[in-house]
Amino acid sequence: MSIKFLNKILSVLFLLVVSLFLIYKAVERPRVLVLHSYATDFSWTADMNSGVKRALADRPYNIRYYYMDTKKHPGLAYRERVGEEVRKLVREWKPSVILAFDDNAQEFVGKYFVNDPDINIVYAGVNADLARYGYDKADNVCGISEKMPWAVAQKVLLELLDKNSRLLH
């Protein structure tokens, strides 16, 4: 066997190993499913996507976006069908994290993956009681609700209305 031939074989093997390694690393990166209850023409959706892109900009994640579009299609049959589509996507693609925005994403997708050891759920824009989705007892869920505790809001409002309030001076 000549040196030139051996060099070519080793070069091809090297390129093959490097290519396989890079493919493996790309496939094995953490996966993030950004799940919106609404479509891209809703300003809240655009704002959330902007925040997601800023937060994950230089991170080695595979990111997919899914828009359920339930604002334009409020019927239960549609929401159940799109929910099943997304649950199928989750089972097949196996994201590490689901970023779920608004209540329909929780109702038709998120609650089906409560306490799944391979998936973390981060919610935002939820108005309903978290117990409705099983999130109150979930080990793999965190997020931000839209509801403001009335007692806190009432206390701040009374403080603002008090003429002697430190907040007004």
Side-chain angles (χ1 to χ4, degrees), residues 113-146:
F113 299 97
V114 165
N115 290 325
D116 183 312
D118 298 321
I119 298 173
N120 290 304
I121 301 168
V122 180
Y123 64 85
V126 172
N127 291 300
D129 187 344
L130 296 178
R132 176 177 179 165
Y133 312 120
Y135 289 0
D136 59 325
K137 295 182 175 121
D139 294 329
N140 66 330
V141 178
C142 66
I144 302 169
S145 295
E146 276 191 15

mmCIF file of all heavy atoms in Angstrom, residues 113-146:
data_model
loop_
_atom_site.group_PDB
_atom_site.id
_atom_site.type_symbol
_atom_site.label_atom_id
_atom_site.label_comp_id
_atom_site.label_asym_id
_atom_site.label_seq_id
_atom_site.Cartn_x
_atom_site.Cartn_y
_atom_site.Cartn_z
ATOM 1 N N PHE A 113 -48.170 16.571 29.910
ATOM 2 C CA PHE A 113 -46.772 16.233 30.168
ATOM 3 C C PHE A 113 -46.334 16.610 31.589
ATOM 4 O O PHE A 113 -45.137 16.679 31.872
ATOM 5 C CB PHE A 113 -45.880 16.885 29.111
ATOM 6 C CG PHE A 113 -46.204 16.390 27.725
ATOM 7 C CD1 PHE A 113 -47.034 17.112 26.877
ATOM 8 C CD2 PHE A 113 -45.717 15.167 27.295
ATOM 9 C CE1 PHE A 113 -47.365 16.633 25.622
ATOM 10 C CE2 PHE A 113 -46.048 14.672 26.034
ATOM 11 C CZ PHE A 113 -46.869 15.411 25.195
ATOM 12 N N VAL A 114 -47.308 16.815 32.467
ATOM 13 C CA VAL A 114 -47.007 17.100 33.869
ATOM 14 C C VAL A 114 -46.273 15.902 34.466
ATOM 15 O O VAL A 114 -46.663 14.750 34.280
ATOM 16 C CB VAL A 114 -48.307 17.404 34.648
ATOM 17 C CG1 VAL A 114 -48.079 17.333 36.147
ATOM 18 C CG2 VAL A 114 -48.844 18.768 34.245
ATOM 19 N N ASN A 115 -45.186 16.209 35.143
ATOM 20 C CA ASN A 115 -44.322 15.221 35.811
ATOM 21 C C ASN A 115 -43.643 14.245 34.853
ATOM 22 O O ASN A 115 -43.154 13.205 35.279
ATOM 23 C CB ASN A 115 -45.065 14.483 36.920
ATOM 24 C CG ASN A 115 -45.345 15.405 38.084
ATOM 25 O OD1 ASN A 115 -44.560 16.281 38.402
ATOM 26 N ND2 ASN A 115 -46.491 15.218 38.715
ATOM 27 N N ASP A 116 -43.571 14.593 33.579
ATOM 28 C CA ASP A 116 -42.775 13.801 32.633
ATOM 29 C C ASP A 116 -41.309 14.066 32.984
ATOM 30 O O ASP A 116 -40.865 15.222 32.966
ATOM 31 C CB ASP A 116 -43.067 14.231 31.199
ATOM 32 C CG ASP A 116 -42.337 13.397 30.163
ATOM 33 O OD1 ASP A 116 -41.116 13.178 30.316
ATOM 34 O OD2 ASP A 116 -42.980 12.965 29.198
ATOM 35 N N PRO A 117 -40.549 13.029 33.298
ATOM 36 C CA PRO A 117 -39.170 13.248 33.756
ATOM 37 C C PRO A 117 -38.232 13.777 32.671
ATOM 38 O O PRO A 117 -37.147 14.277 32.991
ATOM 39 C CB PRO A 117 -38.731 11.859 34.222
ATOM 40 C CG PRO A 117 -39.605 10.906 33.481
ATOM 41 C CD PRO A 117 -40.911 11.613 33.273
ATOM 42 N N ASP A 118 -38.643 13.722 31.418
ATOM 43 C CA ASP A 118 -37.762 14.152 30.328
ATOM 44 C C ASP A 118 -38.101 15.533 29.779
ATOM 45 O O ASP A 118 -37.410 16.027 28.887
ATOM 46 C CB ASP A 118 -37.825 13.134 29.184
ATOM 47 C CG ASP A 118 -37.348 11.763 29.623
ATOM 48 O OD1 ASP A 118 -36.368 11.695 30.395
ATOM 49 O OD2 ASP A 118 -37.963 10.757 29.214
ATOM 50 N N ILE A 119 -39.184 16.140 30.286
ATOM 51 C CA ILE A 119 -39.631 17.424 29.748
ATOM 52 C C ILE A 119 -39.882 18.399 30.885
ATOM 53 O O ILE A 119 -40.537 18.066 31.865
ATOM 54 C CB ILE A 119 -40.941 17.264 28.939
ATOM 55 C CG1 ILE A 119 -40.727 16.338 27.743
ATOM 56 C CG2 ILE A 119 -41.460 18.621 28.471
ATOM 57 C CD1 ILE A 119 -41.996 16.004 26.991
ATOM 58 N N ASN A 120 -39.359 19.616 30.720
ATOM 59 C CA ASN A 120 -39.690 20.708 31.635
ATOM 60 C C ASN A 120 -40.651 21.643 30.921
ATOM 61 O O ASN A 120 -40.493 21.897 29.722
ATOM 62 C CB ASN A 120 -38.435 21.471 32.057
ATOM 63 C CG ASN A 120 -37.562 20.639 32.962
ATOM 64 O OD1 ASN A 120 -38.025 20.174 33.999
ATOM 65 N ND2 ASN A 120 -36.329 20.432 32.574
ATOM 66 N N ILE A 121 -41.626 22.148 31.657
ATOM 67 C CA ILE A 121 -42.619 23.056 31.089
ATOM 68 C C ILE A 121 -42.442 24.417 31.760
ATOM 69 O O ILE A 121 -42.417 24.510 32.985
ATOM 70 C CB ILE A 121 -44.048 22.544 31.324
ATOM 71 C CG1 ILE A 121 -44.230 21.169 30.688
ATOM 72 C CG2 ILE A 121 -45.071 23.550 30.782
ATOM 73 C CD1 ILE A 121 -45.504 20.454 31.110
ATOM 74 N N VAL A 122 -42.322 25.440 30.937
ATOM 75 C CA VAL A 122 -42.274 26.812 31.423
ATOM 76 C C VAL A 122 -43.465 27.524 30.801
ATOM 77 O O VAL A 122 -43.585 27.581 29.584
ATOM 78 C CB VAL A 122 -40.959 27.518 31.029
ATOM 79 C CG1 VAL A 122 -40.946 28.951 31.555
ATOM 80 C CG2 VAL A 122 -39.750 26.739 31.536
ATOM 81 N N TYR A 123 -44.361 28.036 31.659
ATOM 82 C CA TYR A 123 -45.578 28.669 31.156
ATOM 83 C C TYR A 123 -45.516 30.173 31.377
ATOM 84 O O TYR A 123 -44.799 30.672 32.244
ATOM 85 C CB TYR A 123 -46.825 28.081 31.828
ATOM 86 C CG TYR A 123 -46.890 28.324 33.308
ATOM 87 C CD1 TYR A 123 -47.413 29.508 33.821
ATOM 88 C CD2 TYR A 123 -46.415 27.380 34.213
ATOM 89 C CE1 TYR A 123 -47.459 29.746 35.186
ATOM 90 C CE2 TYR A 123 -46.459 27.608 35.579
ATOM 91 C CZ TYR A 123 -46.982 28.798 36.058
ATOM 92 O OH TYR A 123 -47.014 29.023 37.404
ATOM 93 N N ALA A 124 -46.302 30.892 30.575
ATOM 94 C CA ALA A 124 -46.464 32.338 30.754
ATOM 95 C C ALA A 124 -47.843 32.714 30.237
ATOM 96 O O ALA A 124 -48.390 32.060 29.350
ATOM 97 C CB ALA A 124 -45.386 33.107 30.002
ATOM 98 N N GLY A 125 -48.376 33.773 30.802
ATOM 99 C CA GLY A 125 -49.671 34.271 30.347
ATOM 100 C C GLY A 125 -50.844 33.406 30.758
ATOM 101 O O GLY A 125 -51.869 33.401 30.095
ATOM 102 N N VAL A 126 -50.735 32.712 31.865
ATOM 103 C CA VAL A 126 -51.810 31.828 32.316
ATOM 104 C C VAL A 126 -52.752 32.604 33.222
ATOM 105 O O VAL A 126 -52.329 33.249 34.177
ATOM 106 C CB VAL A 126 -51.225 30.597 33.051
ATOM 107 C CG1 VAL A 126 -52.312 29.769 33.693
ATOM 108 C CG2 VAL A 126 -50.421 29.755 32.073
ATOM 109 N N ASN A 127 -54.041 32.521 32.913
ATOM 110 C CA ASN A 127 -55.065 33.182 33.714
ATOM 111 C C ASN A 127 -55.778 32.212 34.650
ATOM 112 O O ASN A 127 -56.205 32.594 35.724
ATOM 113 C CB ASN A 127 -56.101 33.852 32.807
ATOM 114 C CG ASN A 127 -55.519 35.032 32.074
ATOM 115 O OD1 ASN A 127 -55.055 35.976 32.680
ATOM 116 N ND2 ASN A 127 -55.509 34.969 30.757
ATOM 117 N N ALA A 128 -55.939 30.973 34.242
ATOM 118 C CA ALA A 128 -56.674 29.989 35.033
ATOM 119 C C ALA A 128 -55.870 29.562 36.254
ATOM 120 O O ALA A 128 -54.656 29.768 36.330
ATOM 121 C CB ALA A 128 -57.010 28.774 34.172
ATOM 122 N N ASP A 129 -56.563 28.946 37.179
ATOM 123 C CA ASP A 129 -55.919 28.372 38.353
ATOM 124 C C ASP A 129 -54.971 27.268 37.889
ATOM 125 O O ASP A 129 -55.333 26.426 37.062
ATOM 126 C CB ASP A 129 -56.993 27.803 39.278
ATOM 127 C CG ASP A 129 -56.450 27.327 40.610
ATOM 128 O OD1 ASP A 129 -55.222 27.133 40.741
ATOM 129 O OD2 ASP A 129 -57.268 27.148 41.529
ATOM 130 N N LEU A 130 -53.760 27.257 38.407
ATOM 131 C CA LEU A 130 -52.754 26.277 37.981
ATOM 132 C C LEU A 130 -53.182 24.838 38.257
ATOM 133 O O LEU A 130 -52.748 23.916 37.569
ATOM 134 C CB LEU A 130 -51.412 26.567 38.648
ATOM 135 C CG LEU A 130 -50.777 27.911 38.274
ATOM 136 C CD1 LEU A 130 -49.473 28.096 39.034
ATOM 137 C CD2 LEU A 130 -50.560 28.021 36.779
ATOM 138 N N ALA A 131 -54.048 24.636 39.230
ATOM 139 C CA ALA A 131 -54.542 23.289 39.537
ATOM 140 C C ALA A 131 -55.334 22.708 38.356
ATOM 141 O O ALA A 131 -55.371 21.493 38.172
ATOM 142 C CB ALA A 131 -55.419 23.322 40.786
ATOM 143 N N ARG A 132 -55.916 23.564 37.550
ATOM 144 C CA ARG A 132 -56.677 23.107 36.377
ATOM 145 C C ARG A 132 -55.796 22.267 35.450
ATOM 146 O O ARG A 132 -56.266 21.354 34.776
ATOM 147 C CB ARG A 132 -57.232 24.315 35.639
ATOM 148 C CG ARG A 132 -57.941 23.982 34.368
ATOM 149 C CD ARG A 132 -58.514 25.211 33.728
ATOM 150 N NE ARG A 132 -59.174 24.884 32.482
ATOM 151 C CZ ARG A 132 -59.992 25.689 31.856
ATOM 152 N NH1 ARG A 132 -60.264 26.871 32.367
ATOM 153 N NH2 ARG A 132 -60.541 25.331 30.724
ATOM 154 N N TYR A 133 -54.517 22.588 35.400
ATOM 155 C CA TYR A 133 -53.579 21.884 34.528
ATOM 156 C C TYR A 133 -52.715 20.880 35.284
ATOM 157 O O TYR A 133 -51.861 20.225 34.690
ATOM 158 C CB TYR A 133 -52.685 22.891 33.800
ATOM 159 C CG TYR A 133 -53.462 24.022 33.176
ATOM 160 C CD1 TYR A 133 -53.227 25.338 33.537
ATOM 161 C CD2 TYR A 133 -54.469 23.765 32.243
ATOM 162 C CE1 TYR A 133 -53.953 26.375 32.982
ATOM 163 C CE2 TYR A 133 -55.203 24.803 31.693
ATOM 164 C CZ TYR A 133 -54.947 26.106 32.066
ATOM 165 O OH TYR A 133 -55.676 27.114 31.521
ATOM 166 N N GLY A 134 -52.890 20.795 36.585
ATOM 167 C CA GLY A 134 -52.064 19.916 37.401
ATOM 168 C C GLY A 134 -50.710 20.525 37.725
ATOM 169 O O GLY A 134 -49.828 19.855 38.256
ATOM 170 N N TYR A 135 -50.546 21.809 37.410
ATOM 171 C CA TYR A 135 -49.263 22.461 37.612
ATOM 172 C C TYR A 135 -48.970 22.726 39.085
ATOM 173 O O TYR A 135 -47.807 22.873 39.464
ATOM 174 C CB TYR A 135 -49.208 23.787 36.854
ATOM 175 C CG TYR A 135 -49.130 23.670 35.346
ATOM 176 C CD1 TYR A 135 -49.102 22.439 34.705
ATOM 177 C CD2 TYR A 135 -49.092 24.810 34.564
ATOM 178 C CE1 TYR A 135 -49.029 22.355 33.322
ATOM 179 C CE2 TYR A 135 -49.004 24.730 33.184
ATOM 180 C CZ TYR A 135 -48.982 23.506 32.571
ATOM 181 O OH TYR A 135 -48.906 23.434 31.208
ATOM 182 N N ASP A 136 -50.008 22.826 39.906
ATOM 183 C CA ASP A 136 -49.804 23.142 41.314
ATOM 184 C C ASP A 136 -49.029 22.059 42.056
ATOM 185 O O ASP A 136 -48.387 22.322 43.061
ATOM 186 C CB ASP A 136 -51.152 23.397 42.003
ATOM 187 C CG ASP A 136 -52.088 22.200 41.906
ATOM 188 O OD1 ASP A 136 -52.081 21.496 40.874
ATOM 189 O OD2 ASP A 136 -52.841 21.968 42.866
ATOM 190 N N LYS A 137 -49.055 20.832 41.549
ATOM 191 C CA LYS A 137 -48.347 19.723 42.204
ATOM 192 C C LYS A 137 -47.275 19.113 41.297
ATOM 193 O O LYS A 137 -46.772 18.038 41.575
ATOM 194 C CB LYS A 137 -49.351 18.652 42.621
ATOM 195 C CG LYS A 137 -50.313 19.149 43.688
ATOM 196 C CD LYS A 137 -51.264 18.083 44.125
ATOM 197 C CE LYS A 137 -52.089 18.616 45.259
ATOM 198 N NZ LYS A 137 -53.490 18.616 45.030
ATOM 199 N N ALA A 138 -46.938 19.803 40.228
ATOM 200 C CA ALA A 138 -45.990 19.260 39.256
ATOM 201 C C ALA A 138 -44.550 19.539 39.661
ATOM 202 O O ALA A 138 -44.242 20.604 40.199
ATOM 203 C CB ALA A 138 -46.260 19.856 37.879
ATOM 204 N N ASP A 139 -43.683 18.585 39.372
ATOM 205 C CA ASP A 139 -42.255 18.734 39.649
ATOM 206 C C ASP A 139 -41.490 19.341 38.472
ATOM 207 O O ASP A 139 -40.343 19.738 38.629
ATOM 208 C CB ASP A 139 -41.633 17.365 39.970
ATOM 209 C CG ASP A 139 -42.173 16.783 41.252
ATOM 210 O OD1 ASP A 139 -42.519 17.548 42.165
ATOM 211 O OD2 ASP A 139 -42.259 15.539 41.342
ATOM 212 N N ASN A 140 -42.092 19.367 37.306
ATOM 213 C CA ASN A 140 -41.378 19.796 36.102
ATOM 214 C C ASN A 140 -41.956 21.071 35.484
ATOM 215 O O ASN A 140 -41.771 21.324 34.300
ATOM 216 C CB ASN A 140 -41.388 18.671 35.062
ATOM 217 C CG ASN A 140 -42.785 18.376 34.536
ATOM 218 O OD1 ASN A 140 -43.778 18.553 35.236
ATOM 219 N ND2 ASN A 140 -42.860 17.906 33.305
ATOM 220 N N VAL A 141 -42.647 21.881 36.282
ATOM 221 C CA VAL A 141 -43.344 23.047 35.751
ATOM 222 C C VAL A 141 -43.009 24.291 36.567
ATOM 223 O O VAL A 141 -42.968 24.248 37.796
ATOM 224 C CB VAL A 141 -44.881 22.822 35.774
ATOM 225 C CG1 VAL A 141 -45.612 24.050 35.268
ATOM 226 C CG2 VAL A 141 -45.265 21.599 34.955
ATOM 227 N N CYS A 142 -42.785 25.413 35.857
ATOM 228 C CA CYS A 142 -42.649 26.711 36.513
ATOM 229 C C CYS A 142 -43.104 27.766 35.521
ATOM 230 O O CYS A 142 -43.248 27.488 34.334
ATOM 231 C CB CYS A 142 -41.216 26.972 36.966
ATOM 232 S SG CYS A 142 -40.050 27.134 35.610
ATOM 233 N N GLY A 143 -43.343 28.965 36.002
ATOM 234 C CA GLY A 143 -43.749 30.010 35.070
ATOM 235 C C GLY A 143 -44.345 31.217 35.736
ATOM 236 O O GLY A 143 -44.218 31.413 36.944
ATOM 237 N N ILE A 144 -45.027 32.007 34.909
ATOM 238 C CA ILE A 144 -45.594 33.282 35.335
ATOM 239 C C ILE A 144 -47.074 33.315 34.974
ATOM 240 O O ILE A 144 -47.443 33.148 33.809
ATOM 241 C CB ILE A 144 -44.890 34.465 34.644
ATOM 242 C CG1 ILE A 144 -43.402 34.422 34.944
ATOM 243 C CG2 ILE A 144 -45.503 35.783 35.051
ATOM 244 C CD1 ILE A 144 -42.576 35.366 34.107
ATOM 245 N N SER A 145 -47.889 33.541 35.984
ATOM 246 C CA SER A 145 -49.332 33.696 35.755
ATOM 247 C C SER A 145 -49.637 35.157 35.478
ATOM 248 O O SER A 145 -48.883 36.049 35.860
ATOM 249 C CB SER A 145 -50.118 33.244 36.985
ATOM 250 O OG SER A 145 -49.939 31.872 37.206
ATOM 251 N N GLU A 146 -50.771 35.408 34.842
ATOM 252 C CA GLU A 146 -51.195 36.779 34.582
ATOM 253 C C GLU A 146 -52.040 37.333 35.713
ATOM 254 O O GLU A 146 -52.253 38.526 35.777
ATOM 255 C CB GLU A 146 -52.002 36.845 33.281
ATOM 256 C CG GLU A 146 -51.152 36.951 32.067
ATOM 257 C CD GLU A 146 -51.945 37.291 30.829
ATOM 258 O OE1 GLU A 146 -53.104 37.725 30.913
ATOM 259 O OE2 GLU A 146 -51.389 37.101 29.742
#
